[in-house]
Amino acid sequence: MAEAPQEWLRRIQAGEPAAAERLMGEMFGPVRRYLEGMLRNPAQAEDLAQEAMVRLVEHASEFRGEASLRTYLFQIAHNLALNHISAAPTKREEYGSEAPLSKEDGRSGAFETLALEEERRRVRLALGCLPPRQRSVVILRAWEELSFKEIARVMGLAEGTAKAHYFFALKNMRRAMEAENGP
Amino acid sequence: MDHEEAVKRLIIGGPVPIEAASHVEGCVSCREELAALHSTEALLKRAKPSIEPAQYHARPALEARPSRIRRRALAAAAAILLAGLVGGWSLGRMSGQQRTAAPSREVALAEVPWAPSSEDSTLSLLQSAYPVADRFSSVTTADTTSYMEPE
């Protein structure tokens, strides 16, 4: 992303298809994955990811370049996710489908594939037990590899608070996975 | 430094205080806790869903949705168009009513089969069209006056 984000956004707003396509190519997948982890519903994640991309372009003038464009986009996605969760707090949906395993996973055997699927299932269940803010920190840190400083900016928290959320999220996930395995 | 704080310092990364490192080194429960959390973290990272190229199909949403300014302009244009249509329809309706309510004498006389001759007055035209008008034709000015100004 050598190009300045503001210039990139300006080109998108000007209607340059190549700029919009590049934005989608680089940003849509991670944002969708984050939202799917947060919402545990692939269809809603898809919708909100699109909404986040559109809002990024619409609010491009508000982007001052203090953070990276990626951080700014995750901030939009995070707010959308929290609004969605707070609007339907009792609606708990399981993952309908997971992104299929790709060759990138480096495990081609059927047994390994099944083992990875089982691991993913356990992680999804454990993630579902977390409060939204802890879930958000864990996904941004472990899957999207954001620094705690970036996570703090995305979530509007102090960096120390983001670190504490991460620590307690890991502890809660471990407890949830142990509880699922039984005594 | 308590157990939890020491483990937390080691989990979140960054510079670890000597105090925390030495505590965990000498504490079995902290080492077990740290190992378990590292294992959970590793599991979480392994379970990271891959991004499939097929997921990049949402671009039309960006292109299809007009900008806010364009949306407002479209809304304003739609409002003006609607106002014009309503105004035009109202004007057309009013002029239609005027034509119905007060047709020119020539047209009215020509169109109705019971039309009297052109010498007849409007009153006789009304009488022939609406029999009820006979009653009004028999009312004299005196009657009207007496009705309006009872003694």
Side-chain angles (χ1 to χ4, degrees):
Chain A
M1 207 184 297
E3 187 177 8
Q6 287 96 335
E7 174 59 20
W8 193 12
L9 286 175
R10 189 200 61 72
R11 286 176 52 209
I12 292 166
Q13 284 188 312
E16 285 188 35
E21 186 141 1
R22 191 173 142 215
L23 177 76
M24 295 304 291
E26 288 191 22
M27 306 277 198
F28 185 76
V31 168
R32 185 191 180 282
R33 176 169 58 197
Y34 167 71
L35 287 167
E36 189 170 334
M38 287 298 289
L39 304 177
R40 295 169 293 147
N41 183 311
Q44 288 172 353
E46 179 91 16
D47 289 347
L48 282 195
Q50 292 200 23
E51 182 65 28
M53 304 304 279
V54 170
R55 287 197 186 187
L56 172 70
V57 175
E58 283 185 347
H59 296 269
S61 58
E62 295 166 23
F63 178 70
R64 293 184 177 85
E66 292 163 355
S68 69
L69 192 58
R70 186 163 167 253
T71 305
Y72 186 58
L73 182 56
F74 274 120
Q75 197 174 354
I76 294 170
H78 173 71
N79 291 336
L80 285 172
L82 286 192
N83 288 344
H84 186 88
I85 290 167
S86 63
T90 55
K91 194 175 179 184
R92 292 177 67 88
E93 295 188 52
E94 292 299 319
Y95 285 87
S97 66
E98 180 65 23
L101 297 180
S102 68
K103 288 174 185 172
E104 291 169 14
D105 293 317
R107 302 183 188 195
S108 53
F111 179 77
E112 286 81 2
T113 304
L114 282 175
L116 184 55
E117 273 303 329
E118 173 60 15
E119 277 184 357
R120 284 184 167 176
R121 187 192 64 80
R122 289 177 65 206
V123 167
R124 286 198 302 267
L125 283 175
L127 275 176
C129 296
L130 298 178
R133 280 186 173 77
Q134 286 186 13
R135 203 183 313 156
S136 182
V137 171
V138 157
I139 295 169
L140 290 172
R141 178 72 177 165
W143 290 357
E144 307 310 330
E145 297 172 14
L146 263 64
S147 68
F148 283 116
K149 190 178 177 183
E150 288 173 317
I151 293 170
R153 186 180 277 275
V154 165
M155 298 179 64
L157 302 171
E159 192 176 337
T161 311
K163 287 177 177 174
H165 275 313
Y166 184 69
F167 175 68
F168 289 111
L170 285 183
K171 286 186 77 162
N172 287 335
M173 284 185 73
R174 193 188 122 217
R175 279 199 205 108
M177 284 191 268
E178 283 176 354
E180 199 214 354
N181 289 340
Chain B
M1 181 170 284
D2 64 13
H3 298 275
E4 193 170 80
E5 184 62 25
V7 174
K8 183 182 153 192
R9 293 294 182 104
L10 287 161
I11 281 291
I12 58 178
V16 180
I18 297 171
E19 191 187 357
S22 58
H23 173 88
V24 171
E25 197 177 338
C27 177
V28 175
S29 71
C30 278
R31 285 206 306 274
E32 285 176 355
E33 173 81 355
L34 185 64
L37 292 180
H38 275 312
S39 168
T40 305
E41 196 175 27
L43 187 64
L44 179 65
K45 286 178 179 174
R46 274 203 307 276
K48 174 182 175 178
S50 56
I51 297 170
E52 295 296 307
Q55 292 178 357
Y56 299 157
H57 63 267
R59 186 168 59 84
L62 265 188
E63 294 177 347
R65 187 159 161 173
S67 70
R68 182 175 294 171
I69 294 169
R70 208 184 314 162
R71 279 206 308 275
R72 285 180 181 165
L74 283 173
I80 290 167
L81 183 65
L82 186 64
L85 285 173
V86 170
W89 177 76
S90 301
L91 282 173
R93 193 157 173 256
M94 282 172 66
S95 63
Q97 281 174 341
Q98 282 172 349
R99 275 199 302 274
T100 308
S104 69
R105 179 178 169 83
E106 290 72 19
V107 171
L109 293 179
E111 284 178 355
V112 290
W114 35 261
S117 62
S118 58
E119 300 89 56
D120 290 340
S121 65
T122 305
L123 179 61
S124 62
L125 177 65
L126 282 171
Q127 282 172 341
S128 60
Y130 305 102
V132 71
D134 289 339
R135 281 187 289 164
F136 298 114
S137 68
S138 62
V139 176
T140 63
T141 307
D143 291 337
T144 309
T145 307
S146 63
Y147 176 74
M148 294 177 71
E149 296 172 5
E151 291 176 0

